[in-house]
Amino acid sequence: MADPTAVNTAVQGVDSGTLAGNAATIHDFTIIGMFVNADWIVKSVLILLLLASFWCWAIIFEKWLMFRSIKAKAVRFENEFWSSEALDKFYEKNKKRANHPMAIIFVAAMEEWFRSKSSSVAQTAQGLKLSLRERIVQVMQVARNRELEHIESGLGFLATTGSSAPFIGLFGTVWGIMNSFHGIALSRNTSLVAVAPGIAEALFATAIGLFAAIPAVIAYNKFASELARFSNKLDDFSTEFDTILSRQLEG
């Protein structure tokens, strides 16, 4: 006859395996289910990452529309600028509708030009001419920096999310796995089926971290490159416009 103790042990083992299998079977492995069943710290990590991802996508769409708009307006402005016959007439046409960086730089320089021309002090001395040119260059530089700072706003958040989101997700994963091992110690059931739900919930945090980080990194690199090219374009325009004004001063 079979040993009753061995039989009971086998039955208990079968029952434990069956219960673990049933627990894994009825466990909800959907995204919502894993979120609901996760530990509160893992939930906090997931919520933080999802909010960061949502804000990153808002910045991405806003910057995409912004760069598309300012590049189109800059091209149109340059074509009108180089085809215009007189700077003062072109200034009067654009001073009230300067709604992009290149036009704002032009209007700022022309305003300084007209303020100096309307001054009661004679502008015939060479020293005064040089001083006027330096002021115009400084005004254009300040306007350029102000506009680039406005365009650049939000890119820092993309960079921060791209670099930190994977580690925040990893923290949630480590915490979730620690809880799974704690559950193993309490239940004394080392079956992989029993710990699979907890490990799945933990790894879900890493997946959300990557979901937030990857678009942020790609978008940051793209927009940083766009910003550098547009900054060079503004520098070229400022240099060319300064050359035109210097000819006016020497004339």
Side-chain angles (χ1 to χ4, degrees):
M1 294 180 65
D3 187 0
T5 304
V7 172
N8 291 334
T9 302
V11 171
Q12 290 176 357
V14 172
D15 291 341
S16 299
T18 303
L19 291 173
N22 292 335
T25 302
I26 64 175
H27 192 86
D28 190 356
F29 282 96
T30 63
I31 292 176
I32 297 177
M34 286 190 290
F35 174 80
V36 171
N37 295 319
D39 179 78
W40 69 271
I41 292 183
V42 179
K43 283 182 181 178
S44 300
V45 169
L46 293 173
I47 292 172
L48 177 64
L49 291 173
L50 289 173
L51 290 176
S53 178
F54 175 79
W55 189 246
C56 283
W57 279 107
I59 293 173
I60 289 170
F61 282 115
E62 189 264 338
K63 292 303 174 187
W64 179 75
L65 293 174
M66 175 184 288
F67 277 106
R68 182 181 178 184
S69 175
I70 61 176
K71 286 192 293 184
K73 290 178 179 178
V75 171
R76 185 165 59 250
F77 177 84
E78 280 190 301
N79 293 335
E80 294 176 356
F81 176 80
W82 293 114
S83 62
S84 63
E85 297 180 356
L87 287 177
D88 53 350
K89 293 182 179 179
F90 188 69
Y91 164 73
E92 292 295 331
K93 179 182 177 182
N94 286 273
K95 67 179 182 178
K96 293 183 179 180
R97 58 185 184 97
N99 57 356
H100 61 95
M102 193 170 289
I104 291 173
I105 291 173
F106 167 76
V107 170
M110 290 300 294
E111 286 177 349
E112 181 63 28
W113 168 269
F114 284 120
R115 277 196 297 266
S116 300
K117 285 181 65 176
S118 62
S119 175
S120 59
V121 180
Q123 300 292 332
T124 55
Q126 185 67 21
L128 292 176
K129 290 182 179 180
L130 291 176
S131 177
L132 172 59
R133 184 178 177 185
E134 290 173 357
R135 289 200 305 272
I136 291 174
V137 171
Q138 290 175 356
V139 166
M140 288 193 294
Q141 187 69 20
V142 170
R144 169 195 172 275
N145 292 341
R146 188 183 299 117
E147 292 303 309
L148 290 179
E149 183 178 354
H150 172 67
I151 297 172
E152 192 179 8
S153 63
L155 296 186
F157 186 81
L158 292 179
T160 301
T161 302
S163 61
S164 63
F167 296 101
I168 296 174
L170 183 60
F171 167 75
T173 296
V174 171
W175 186 269
I177 291 177
M178 287 172 56
N179 283 338
S180 296
F181 281 117
H182 182 66
I184 292 174
L186 291 178
S187 64
R188 300 188 179 185
N189 184 0
T190 59
S191 171
L192 181 60
V193 177
V195 299
I199 294 177
E201 293 161 6
L203 294 176
F204 182 52
T206 297
I208 295 298
L210 294 175
F211 174 78
I214 293 174
V217 170
I218 295 174
Y220 174 79
N221 291 333
K222 173 178 173 54
F223 292 140
S225 177
E226 293 277 355
L227 181 64
R229 285 197 294 268
F230 192 70
S231 176
N232 292 335
K233 191 178 185 68
L234 293 180
D235 288 337
D236 293 341
F237 174 76
S238 298
T239 301
E240 292 171 342
F241 188 52
D242 176 54
T243 302
I244 294 173
L245 291 180
S246 67
R247 294 196 193 102
Q248 296 283 343
L249 288 172
E250 293 172 0

